[in-house]
Amino acid sequence: MRSGFTGQPAGRPVELGGMFKDLAEATRHTAARSTLNGLMTWLGESGLAAAAASGGLQAAVDQHAASVRDALGDPEHGPNAIALASYATGVRDTLIDAQWQLPPTSELDWSKASWPTVRLIAICALARAGGHV
């Protein structure tokens, strides 16, 4: 047995209990909501407004939102904040790796919105619908 404050043998997971588990979960939810709020500020508000004014863009956002719901495993109720923020972070990281750049939203031609733009707007739509932002 390895000495230490846990009293657990080496390699054995430590079970968080009570207050610490609740704190960890609250921290995860806070971080997720922060991520989703940042995405809404950066792109979501203007993108969702543009979608509301354009039937074609709204249809594309709806299709992307359905794909995200399916990918996250809860097509009926929609994803929770943590799953949605994790997915958004994965999309963002992939786009950063690909050196993708979004022009300022004031300069976007919403009728020609790229796949990444529509996917990110769809994430924002799901976050709003789920009450996460």
Side-chain angles (χ1 to χ4, degrees), residues 84-104:
L84 197 53
S86 295
Y87 185 89
T89 299
V91 170
R92 181 205 61 205
D93 290 350
T94 299
L95 295 172
I96 289 170
D97 289 346
Q99 298 181 349
W100 180 79
Q101 295 282 321
L102 179 72

Side-chain angles (χ1 to χ4, degrees), residues 20-32 82:
F20 293 112
K21 186 175 182 181
D22 293 343
L23 179 60
E25 189 65 17
T27 301
R28 290 176 66 213
H29 278 280
T30 299
I82 294 169

Side-chain angles (χ1 to χ4, degrees), residues 26-38 80-86 132-133:
T27 301
R28 290 176 66 213
H29 278 280
T30 299
R33 286 179 184 263
S34 178
T35 296
L36 295 171
N37 280 320
N80 65 40
I82 294 169
L84 197 53
S86 295
H132 307 307
V133 292

